Amino acid sequence: MKFKKAAAMAMACVMVLSLTACGGGKGESGNAKSDGKSEQGSGDAELSVSIWDTNQEPGISEILADFTEETGIKTKVSVVKWDEYWTMLEAGAQGGSLPDVFWMHSNESQRYMSNDMLLDLTDMIKDSDKIDPENYPSDIWGLYTYEDKYYAVPKDVDTIALWYNKKMFDEAGVAYPTADWTWDDVTEAAKKLTKEDGSQYGMALRNDNNQAGYYNMVYDNGGTIISDDKKTSGWDDPKTIEAMQQVEEWIKLGLMPSIETMSENSEDVLFQSGKVAMVFQGSWMVAAYRDNEYTAENCDIAELPKSAATGRRASIYNGLGWAAAANGKHTEEAKQLIEYLGSKEAQIKQAELGVTMSAYKGTSEAWTKSADFNLQAYLNMMDDMVIRPYSKTTVTWENEDNEILKSVYTGDKTMEEACKEMAAQMNEKLAGE
Amino acid sequence: MTNTKKRKVTGRARSEFLWGWLFILPTMIGLVILNIIPIFQTLYQSFFKTGDFGRGNVFVGLDNYAQVFGDKEVWQSLINTFKYAIVEVPFSIIIALILAVLLNRKMRGRGFYRTIIFLPMVAAPAAIAMVWRWLYNSDFGLINNVFPIQVKWVSDPQIAVFSVAVIGIWSIIGYNMVLFIAGLQEIPHDFYEAAEIDGATGVKSFFYITIPLLSPTIFFVLVTRIISALQVFDLMYMVMDKSNPALEKTQSLVYLFYKYAFINKNMGYGSTIVILLLVITLIITAFQMIGQKKWVFYN
């Protein structure tokens, strides 16, 4: 009997332990996935390509098909959503099983480059007759250069613009936004476009929409998010706080749906379902709105408004890069693919297909014809561009910022308190980099 | 035990011994590699501040533990996890038990009903969560549109964790029911016949015969359910958006672990959170093992 009891106890212990280990094993499953991929690749040199944007997948696949036709090297593209993408990449990097070719972002590039995770492309670029760094914006090269070595080839460049619903503007009798608008004009228009019964709101701006949203307003107003040397936060700059108080005003006036509604339905869903009249979106969203029947028919684009005080109209911009795994099995083929993706031919095709604006200079003309919107607005935004604020631990402090901003939306904190809190936490994290 | 050792080992016994071990070997190896070793690795990691990509870890001793104990977010998550478990475990067991008793009788379409109730177990948790996310949606969701109510099911901090628990109950009932049906079929029919002669009605025989004789199964389900309820992750991860104002009052410990270990890339702190969960789970299970003497009947 005693033995039975002991055995039962032991069984229970094993059960507890093993289940706990299961709960902790999420990372392993990610590993297993990427393992599977590289196995597939080893057969006949099939390159695994990872991206995060479903809207861009059809266009990218078409370009990859061209590459296969030209070189005979097969590719297999997989789309993993933004949040999971970085988890997958992290697990892959740690376990030595990164995809062969993948998108890199300014948020993470520093960390990956400084840890030798990315394939050094410097020689390939020097020897290539297709790629000349002169042909791409130098800031974007900057994102993917570490100790004078190139680790990615620029894929695209993005800017931000204001989307509006023409039908709602007509109904409310408000004139369409123009390039002369200031942020105050947005407020005035939004007041007229908001219906009291909650069936329609003037605009939507989520607490985590920084690049396409409030970062622009901060820089318009002369504020900053991070100092140039990436050592201190600019959230407590009075100019920054002043700009952010504009957002607070919109919340207080009820011009936006509640944070609850916006968290359950993202801005693009609300815009596409005719619930809000204005949203601020990056050029990467164009393909999605073009393919949506409602937005294609009723919506259009204008330049972002200016700050009335400074007259500045800044666009936070960024550009992705095509990078390869340093320890990949097919690094030669990967280099070939990246060279192809960066070539003028592929970049023009990307613009023509309306995937995004291409990084290659002079390809914008093709992109403006890719959809029936005023895409020129996005190009006009290139006159005054600020690279997206980043440091080595961007993700960590950005997530915390979003968390803190939530409490302004719920009315638990004033914007000023939130900004000071964000500055404090960010400074602490920057100090530990 | 001592008796068997004294006895002479025959050839047959030795062969049975070998084959026995051979058959459980794959499971044992899997258990050791996938479960036991990671437990110790996790414990080891919890003493480090994680460097990039798992390299250059810095030993910090008990710093992570000190931080966990002072972290309000961790304690809030623990409360959330308990709230979830307190709703999910009893309801999923009681409803499954009632269904099992009902579906254990001879009736038409028994197999059909059993299949329907078991079906949620077959679907992937991620898919389930996506469907429920739309059912719960406060603006476009089915529930709010069919009934004339305006409830923010998953974004109201007061109720979001319970809304998630409902999904948990719904998706686990079928599994519990199957275990209960298996247990019910072990109960000899004679007991019920004897009880009927003594005048015990359906409800009485349920409480005086079914429950006591089923208690080992109930105990097993209870222990395993509590353990996995404390580890709830996928439902919350899929249902709750990061910008959700109810997230803070809903996220579970494992969710927090995921956030620290994989999003903020602080594997060490994440490990510490998991170790905390492990200790709590061990304590709860130990109490259950002690408590079972009072209500579980093995013969």
Side-chain angles (χ1 to χ4, degrees):
Chain A
M1 202 53 212
K2 242 190 179 164
F3 167 74
K4 229 182 177 180
K5 238 190 214 167
M9 207 61 185
M11 270 308 292
C13 281
V14 169
M15 241 155 57
V16 172
L17 292 168
S18 62
L19 284 170
T20 310
C22 284
K26 300 283 172 224
E28 280 152 30
S29 61
N31 256 340
K33 247 189 258 160
S34 34
D35 272 343
K37 242 178 269 154
S38 55
E39 257 168 49
Q40 278 179 339
S42 63
D44 46 347
E46 188 182 54
L47 291 173
S48 53
V49 178
S50 283
I51 65 174
W52 64 70
D53 190 347
T54 30
N55 298 325
Q56 299 192 26
E57 194 201 353
I60 297 283
S61 298
E62 212 166 304
I63 294 168
L64 290 175
D66 289 351
F67 172 73
T68 308
E69 207 171 296
E70 200 166 288
T71 60
I73 300 168
K74 281 189 214 147
T75 58
K76 187 177 188 319
V77 67
S78 55
V79 188
V80 182
K81 280 198 157 186
W82 171 261
D83 282 329
E84 288 103 55
Y85 182 86
W86 295 106
T87 313
M88 176 205 81
L89 223 55
E90 175 92 14
Q94 213 159 332
S97 57
L98 280 171
D100 291 313
V101 176
F102 49 90
W103 285 357
M104 231 326 106
H105 188 269
S106 61
N107 275 2
E108 297 272 6
S109 58
Q110 292 287 325
R111 234 163 50 83
Y112 278 79
M113 291 189 296
S114 60
N115 284 292
D116 299 324
M117 286 297 164
L118 304 184
L119 188 64
D120 182 357
L121 302 172
T122 321
D123 293 337
M124 183 272 282
I125 291 167
K126 269 190 196 136
D127 299 340
S128 172
D129 51 357
K130 287 182 183 162
I131 294 178
D132 180 1
E134 292 282 302
N135 290 326
Y136 311 81
S138 60
D139 268 342
I140 298 182
W141 282 112
L143 297 175
Y144 306 113
T145 307
Y146 185 76
E147 291 175 346
D148 297 326
K149 285 183 184 145
Y150 296 126
Y151 288 93
V153 170
K155 171 190 171 282
D156 55 26
V157 54
D158 51 45
T159 60
I160 316 300
L162 168 69
W163 282 82
Y164 60 95
N165 186 322
K166 289 188 284 189
K167 204 169 127 201
M168 289 183 184
F169 271 74
D170 289 340
E171 276 169 14
V174 183
Y176 295 160
T178 66
D180 298 324
W181 271 32
T182 62
W183 290 102
D184 301 327
D185 291 323
V186 171
T187 315
E188 287 312 310
K191 276 184 198 163
K192 288 177 198 147
L193 288 158
T194 303
K195 288 186 183 163
E196 273 186 19
D197 61 359
S199 62
Q200 181 181 317
Y201 291 92
M203 62 167 84
L205 176 62
R206 254 162 71 132
N207 63 317
D208 57 356
N209 185 355
N210 48 28
Q211 188 193 344
Y214 46 80
Y215 278 1
N216 298 290
M217 300 160 66
V218 167
Y219 282 88
D220 280 351
N221 203 41
T224 55
I225 300 298
I226 189 168
S227 64
D228 292 335
D229 60 1
K230 320 247 181 265
K231 292 264 188 276
T232 49
S233 163
W235 276 119
D236 49 1
D237 181 332
K239 291 257 166 67
T240 308
I241 299 175
E242 194 186 65
M244 291 303 288
Q245 275 164 343
Q246 174 83 75
V247 180
E248 191 178 22
E249 191 194 349
W250 293 340
I251 299 167
K252 291 232 166 96
L253 289 171
L255 304 180
M256 297 192 268
S258 67
I259 179 78
E260 286 92 351
T261 297
M262 287 194 287
S263 78
E264 287 181 43
N265 313 287
S266 53
E267 289 154 329
D268 49 320
V269 172
L270 291 167
F271 189 63
Q272 284 168 357
S273 53
K275 188 119 181 158
V276 300
M278 289 181 281
V279 283
F280 313 106
Q281 301 269 270
S283 50
W284 59 87
M285 288 302 289
V286 170
Y289 287 153
R290 177 195 62 195
D291 297 338
N292 179 294
E293 236 174 81
Y294 181 84
T295 41
E297 191 172 324
N298 297 312
C299 303
D300 210 348
I301 316 168
E303 288 84 353
L304 277 184
K306 294 181 208 169
S307 155
T310 64
R312 187 171 180 195
R313 179 211 315 281
S315 171
I316 305 294
Y317 85 112
N318 200 355
L320 307 181
W322 283 107
N327 57 3
K329 283 185 189 138
H330 313 292
T331 47
E332 281 315 308
E333 287 91 344
K335 276 184 191 167
Q336 251 179 292
L337 175 58
I338 291 178
E339 185 182 23
Y340 179 80
L341 290 166
S343 70
K344 190 175 184 186
E345 182 194 353
Q347 289 271 305
I348 287 181
K349 179 137 194 195
Q350 176 176 257
E352 276 172 357
L353 289 171
V355 179
T356 53
M357 278 194 262
S358 283
Y360 202 96
K361 281 178 187 164
T363 52
S364 330
E365 197 52 36
W367 183 71
T368 51
K369 289 182 193 129
S370 72
D372 207 9
F373 298 121
N374 173 28
L375 293 178
Q376 187 62 36
Y378 276 113
L379 297 187
N380 294 347
M381 292 306 296
M382 290 176 128
D383 297 344
D384 181 1
M385 299 206 288
V386 178
I387 195 82
R388 184 173 201 236
Y390 69 95
S391 78
K392 233 174 150 181
T393 55
T394 319
V395 182
T396 318
W397 52 258
E398 252 187 23
N399 282 345
E400 187 90 32
D401 284 348
N402 297 338
E403 200 75 15
I404 294 167
L405 273 174
K406 227 190 259 178
S407 55
V408 180
Y409 279 78
T410 53
D412 294 332
K413 280 186 192 126
T414 67
M415 188 56 91
E416 194 173 351
E417 284 164 4
C419 284
K420 286 184 175 153
E421 205 178 310
M422 290 192 283
Q425 67 87 14
M426 197 169 146
N427 281 330
E428 193 189 309
K429 293 196 173 81
L430 290 175
E433 273 185 13
Chain B
M1 277 303 277
T2 39
N3 282 346
T4 29
K5 266 185 188 166
K6 271 179 203 163
R7 220 180 287 153
K8 234 187 171 181
V9 184
T10 61
R12 188 190 163 85
R14 186 182 293 140
S15 143
E16 269 181 7
F17 175 82
L18 277 177
W19 280 107
W21 273 100
L22 203 65
F23 279 123
I24 59 167
L25 203 61
T27 315
M28 293 290 283
I29 293 173
L31 201 65
V32 169
I33 293 177
L34 296 172
N35 293 329
I36 312 282
I37 294 175
I39 291 169
F40 289 104
Q41 283 176 335
T42 307
L43 185 65
Y44 177 75
Q45 285 249 348
S46 68
F47 298 111
F48 288 87
K49 184 180 187 299
T50 316
D52 288 335
F53 304 104
R55 296 186 297 199
N57 290 352
V58 186
F59 183 77
V60 291
L62 292 172
D63 278 12
N64 284 332
Y65 287 90
Q67 204 186 331
V68 159
F69 282 104
D71 193 338
K72 266 199 298 192
E73 204 182 6
V74 169
W75 297 111
Q76 181 62 49
S77 306
L78 185 62
I79 294 169
N80 300 340
T81 313
F82 279 140
K83 271 191 191 166
Y84 175 88
I86 284 167
V87 175
E88 198 235 70
V89 176
F91 278 99
S92 71
I93 291 180
I94 293 166
I95 297 171
L97 186 57
I98 294 168
L99 285 172
V101 171
L102 292 178
L103 291 177
N104 197 36
R105 298 173 308 166
K106 282 204 176 75
M107 61 181 281
R108 278 182 61 183
R110 192 168 69 165
F112 176 72
Y113 289 119
R114 284 186 187 177
T115 312
I116 285 202
I117 293 166
F118 191 73
L119 221 50
M121 271 310 287
V122 183
I128 290 174
M130 283 316 287
V131 171
W132 277 89
R133 189 179 168 152
W134 281 109
L135 290 177
Y136 276 145
N137 192 299
S138 55
D139 291 273
F140 309 109
L142 185 72
I143 300 177
N144 276 2
N145 278 314
V146 168
F147 304 103
I149 40 174
Q150 266 305 315
V151 181
K152 300 205 180 285
W153 296 105
V154 290
S155 53
D156 180 343
Q158 304 289 331
I159 59 167
V161 69
F162 302 116
S163 302
V164 176
V166 169
I167 311 177
I169 297 169
W170 176 81
S171 55
I172 203 66
I173 281 178
Y175 181 70
N176 288 354
M177 183 189 73
V178 166
L179 292 173
F180 284 138
I181 288 178
L184 284 171
Q185 290 180 345
E186 293 288 303
I187 302 175
H189 210 69
D190 314 6
F191 286 124
Y192 293 103
E193 277 164 14
E196 215 169 306
I197 292 165
D198 289 344
T201 59
V203 177
K204 257 197 177 151
S205 66
F206 175 75
F207 281 107
Y208 290 103
I209 300 171
T210 312
I211 296 274
L213 289 177
L214 201 61
S215 60
T217 312
I218 297 176
F219 178 67
F220 170 79
V221 173
L222 186 70
V223 171
T224 49
R225 266 335 300 155
I226 289 181
I227 292 171
S228 33
L230 292 175
Q231 294 171 7
V232 59
F233 168 75
D234 33 22
L235 291 178
M236 287 173 183
Y237 181 71
M238 295 301 296
V239 172
M240 309 291 292
D241 190 276
K242 264 198 299 187
S243 68
N244 195 322
L247 183 61
E248 201 188 327
K249 296 253 186 233
T250 312
Q251 59 189 358
S252 64
L253 269 185
V254 179
Y255 185 101
L256 206 61
F257 150 75
Y258 179 81
K259 178 179 148 185
Y260 278 108
F262 293 107
I263 298 176
N264 291 354
K265 283 137 195 147
N266 192 348
M267 212 64 89
Y269 195 60
S271 303
T272 316
I273 294 173
V274 173
I275 295 292
L276 175 74
L277 178 64
L278 173 72
V279 171
I280 291 168
T281 316
L282 274 174
I283 293 171
I284 292 175
T285 310
F287 273 112
Q288 282 182 282
M289 296 307 281
I290 296 165
Q292 67 160 323
K293 271 184 262 172
K294 296 223 162 72
W295 64 279
V296 181
F297 305 97
Y298 280 105
N299 284 305

